[in-house]
């Protein structure tokens, strides 16, 4: 399947929130909102000195406090080698211990934020993973590229850390890869060297600007254009690209038109409104109904204007294939995660079901967030899992509304 060239748009709404979008042609495939105040932003990736407030032996976990009295969940089995900055009189983790932790997941509804002692430092091509000696390589790269990249990275792995090689590395030179590996390793060693001298609850590494995070998370080889109408953001992006991907600076544009701002030019507010609706129409006349629940998200595919008498095998096939493409887009657009069930229209022919599953599998590979197509159940429900990284688009919009209401109170 051909991958269309994409546009990364970064602008600012009237409420000062940063709005970032990736467009595939004229369609948004990813939307991200970041509040204007740093304190309102996601904590994911932040590194702190945390204090153990309670150890819960029955669930093999601890509750660790970080800055601003934030309580976080910490899995003991998932962190066999904690980095203590202050340690009590026990070989095990106990109340009062102070340790280096990184936020891996924001607080979600009734769930606390989750922290880990396995520190990760992300670059454009690589992610350094503390307490790991493996080399993980993006499955989206060819077997030949994976073999070559593994050979390049093996000399950099130590007993203290390993690396994940990102999809962007497939278009990078060995020199660029090695330069970033050295940089991430230096950052990691400096972090461990200075941590014991920092006070409890200190923030050792905060977030990069939202637009830099978006840039780093994007597969840059697909980008035809990076455009913003905010001079400060343009300067920041230009500096980042010059340092990390100088060949892409020519793709960066500062858009200036007071009569038609970027948010209007690309109809981004309309895209957000559409992405919050429960019903999504398909060109075929069918439609999706997307219903998130506490435990999972269900996507129901309907024939719409087609009656049963009119529906034939080829029509069902076309509707399901179109629904697969739109479901993959909506999952990424809305940043859905966890368990996702798609109830496609039942098809009698096994070859049609096989074609649908293969097509959907290829579509999900385009998602930068780890997404797995599990199987089709006996009830012909398609199971998908997607890693939770940030809040859903709906939660991002809701958070901004709460923030704005608080500001204006």
């Amino acid at each position: 399947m051909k991958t269309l060239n994409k546009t990364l748009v970064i602008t600012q709404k009237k409420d000062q929130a940063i709005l970032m979008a990736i467009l595939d042609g004229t369609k948004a495939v990813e939307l991200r909102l970041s509040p204007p105040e740093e304190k309102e932003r996601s904590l994911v990736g932040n590194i702190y000195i945390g204090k153990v407030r309670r150890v819960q032996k029955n669930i093999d976990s601890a509750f660790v406090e970080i800055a601003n009295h934030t309580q976080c969940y910490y899995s003991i089995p998932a962190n066999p080698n904690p980095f203590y900055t202050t340690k009590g009189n026990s070989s095990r983790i106990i109340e009062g211990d102070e340790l280096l932790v990184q936020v891996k997941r924001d607080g979600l509804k009734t769930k606390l934020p989750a922290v880990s002692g396995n520190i990760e430092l992300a670059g454009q091509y690589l992610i350094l993973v503390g307490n790991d000696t493996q080399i993980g390589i993006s499955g989206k790269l060819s077997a030949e590229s994976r073999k070559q990249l593994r050979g390049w990275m093996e000399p950099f792995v130590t007993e203290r850390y390993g690396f994940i090689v990102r999809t962007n590395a497939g278009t990078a030179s060995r020199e660029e890869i090695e330069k970033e590996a050295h940089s991430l390793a230096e950052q990691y060693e400096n972090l461990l060297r200075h941590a014991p001298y920092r006070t409890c609850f200190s923030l050792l590494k905060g977030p990069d600007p939202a637009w830099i995070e978006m840039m780093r998370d994007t597969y840059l080889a697909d980008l035809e254009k990076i455009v913003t109408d905010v001079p400060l953001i343009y300067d920041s992006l230009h500096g980042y690209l010059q340092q990390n991907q100088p060949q892409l600076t020519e793709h960066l544009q500062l858009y200036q038109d007071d009569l038609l701002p970027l948010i209007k030019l690309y109809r981004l507010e309309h895209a957000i409104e559409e992405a919050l609706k429960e019903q999504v129409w398909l060109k075929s006349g069918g439609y999706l109904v997307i219903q998130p629940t506490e435990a999972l998200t269900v996507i129901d595919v309907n024939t719409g204007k087609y009656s049963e008498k009119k529906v034939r095998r080829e029509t069902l096939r076309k509707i399901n294939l179109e629904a697969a493409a739109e479901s993959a887009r909506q999952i990424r657009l809305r940043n859905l995660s966890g368990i996702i069930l798609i109830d496609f229209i039942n098809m009698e022919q096994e070859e049609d079901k096989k074609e649908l599953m293969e097509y959907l599998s290829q579509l999900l590979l385009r998602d930068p967030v780890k997404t797995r197509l599990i199987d089709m159940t006996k009830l012909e429900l398609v199971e998908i899992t997607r890693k939770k990284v940030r809040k859903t688009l709906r939660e991002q919009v809701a958070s901004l509304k709460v923030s704005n209401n608080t500001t204006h109170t």
Side-chain angles (χ1 to χ4, degrees):
M1 289 183 295
K2 184 181 178 182
T3 302
L4 296 175
N5 286 330
K6 297 179 177 64
T7 301
L8 172 58
V9 181
I10 304 173
T11 187
Q12 198 161 25
K13 297 177 67 183
K14 289 181 180 178
D15 61 9
Q16 299 301 302
I18 304 299
L19 171 57
M20 296 157 285
I22 295 177
L23 303 176
D24 193 340
T26 58
K27 273 190 171 183
V29 294
E30 187 169 339
L31 292 167
R32 197 181 295 183
L33 286 160
S34 181
E37 296 296 329
E38 289 293 321
K39 64 182 179 181
E40 300 291 340
R41 283 190 59 194
S42 166
L43 297 178
V44 173
N46 287 6
I47 300 173
Y48 299 91
I49 303 296
K51 181 184 283 286
V52 178
R53 290 303 189 189
R54 190 167 85 254
V55 175
Q56 202 77 26
K57 292 183 179 178
N58 60 331
I59 57 172
D60 217 4
S61 62
F63 295 92
V64 176
E65 182 181 345
I66 58 174
N68 301 317
H69 308 290
T70 303
Q71 301 294 319
C72 303
Y73 173 82
Y74 177 94
S75 169
I76 294 175
N79 291 275
N81 300 300
F83 185 88
Y84 295 105
T85 57
T86 300
K87 184 73 186 82
N89 189 24
S90 172
S91 60
R92 297 181 177 182
I93 187 169
I94 59 173
E95 186 177 321
D97 284 347
E98 296 177 10
L99 66 167
L100 190 67
V101 293
Q102 183 175 40
V103 180
K104 301 295 184 179
R105 185 194 69 212
D106 281 321
L108 306 168
K109 298 177 182 176
T110 58
K111 293 183 179 179
L112 294 173
V115 294
S116 170
N118 303 319
I119 304 300
E120 295 184 1
L121 299 176
Q124 190 68 52
Y125 310 117
L126 308 168
I127 300 174
L128 181 148
V129 185
N131 293 325
D132 195 344
T133 59
Q134 304 296 313
I135 299 172
I137 302 181
S138 168
K140 299 175 185 179
L141 297 171
S142 68
E144 185 179 351
S145 290
R146 288 163 61 86
K147 182 179 179 180
Q148 182 183 61
L149 288 163
R150 184 174 296 279
W152 291 355
M153 290 308 302
E154 280 175 351
F156 291 94
V157 175
T158 73
E159 294 180 355
R160 295 161 72 94
Y161 53 79
F163 289 91
I164 295 172
V165 182
R166 310 182 79 170
T167 308
N168 273 327
T171 58
S173 67
R174 181 169 187 169
E175 183 183 6
E176 289 172 319
I177 299 289
E178 291 182 347
K179 179 183 176 183
E180 185 165 281
H182 281 298
S183 174
L184 292 175
E186 186 177 353
Q187 289 177 49
Y188 185 75
E189 296 296 349
N190 283 337
L191 189 69
L192 298 191
R193 192 178 303 117
H194 294 125
Y197 304 100
R198 300 295 297 275
T199 58
C200 191
F201 311 126
S202 292
L203 173 64
L204 273 63
K205 185 180 184 301
D208 289 321
W211 50 89
I212 296 296
E213 288 183 359
M214 186 74 169
M215 177 78 72
R216 205 168 50 213
D217 293 343
T218 301
Y219 182 46
L220 297 180
D222 277 353
L223 285 181
E224 183 179 43
K225 184 165 56 174
I226 306 161
V227 57
T228 181
D229 54 0
V230 184
L232 177 66
I233 292 177
Y234 173 85
D235 291 341
S236 176
L237 289 171
H238 191 271
Y240 176 83
L241 287 173
Q242 276 196 321
Q243 183 175 356
N244 296 279
Q245 295 236 301
Q247 71 276 18
L248 288 177
T249 53
E250 62 185 36
H251 295 283
L252 178 63
Q253 298 178 14
L254 177 61
Y255 176 88
Q256 294 178 304
D257 188 337
D258 293 338
L259 297 178
L260 186 62
L262 277 181
I263 202 165
K264 298 294 183 185
L265 178 65
Y266 289 106
R267 304 184 71 222
L268 296 182
E269 289 182 324
H270 175 74
I272 293 173
E273 289 174 9
E274 291 294 309
L276 297 177
K277 289 181 179 178
E278 186 176 272
Q279 189 167 299
V280 179
W281 284 97
L282 306 174
K283 287 182 180 179
S284 61
Y287 63 91
L288 308 178
V289 176
I290 303 174
Q291 295 179 316
T293 70
E294 187 75 27
L296 50 81
T297 299
V298 177
I299 301 177
D300 187 33
V301 182
N302 297 273
T303 55
K305 68 181 182 182
Y306 289 96
S307 66
E308 276 192 35
K309 292 181 180 177
K310 291 173 65 178
V311 171
R312 293 291 182 267
R313 174 185 173 186
E314 186 59 23
T315 303
L316 287 178
R317 176 182 163 276
K318 285 182 178 179
I319 292 175
N320 275 336
L321 290 175
E322 186 185 359
E326 188 59 33
S327 294
R329 185 176 85 93
Q330 291 292 331
I331 287 169
R332 182 178 173 189
L333 188 67
R334 298 169 187 237
N335 198 29
L336 303 176
S337 62
I339 300 171
I340 301 165
L341 297 180
I342 306 180
D343 186 6
F344 288 102
I345 302 165
N346 291 344
M347 297 185 292
E348 294 180 1
Q349 302 297 321
E350 288 301 320
E351 60 192 272
D352 292 344
K353 295 177 186 178
K354 183 180 179 182
E355 179 190 25
L356 175 64
M357 293 294 282
E358 289 177 350
Y359 181 60
L360 181 58
S361 177
Q362 290 300 311
L363 290 164
L364 295 176
L365 280 175
R366 298 180 183 179
D367 195 327
V369 175
K370 187 176 181 180
T371 307
R372 290 181 60 209
L373 176 60
I374 306 300
D375 205 353
M376 181 182 284
T377 70
K378 291 181 180 180
L379 295 175
E380 299 194 2
L381 296 172
V382 174
E383 294 179 291
I384 296 168
T385 62
R386 188 169 186 264
K387 185 178 179 181
K388 178 70 181 184
V389 179
R390 293 177 176 83
K391 294 178 180 179
T392 64
L393 180 64
R394 183 174 294 278
E395 289 169 330
Q396 292 173 46
V397 171
S399 295
L400 284 173
K401 286 181 179 177
V402 169
S403 177
N404 289 336
N405 289 340
T406 303
T407 301
H408 295 129
T409 299

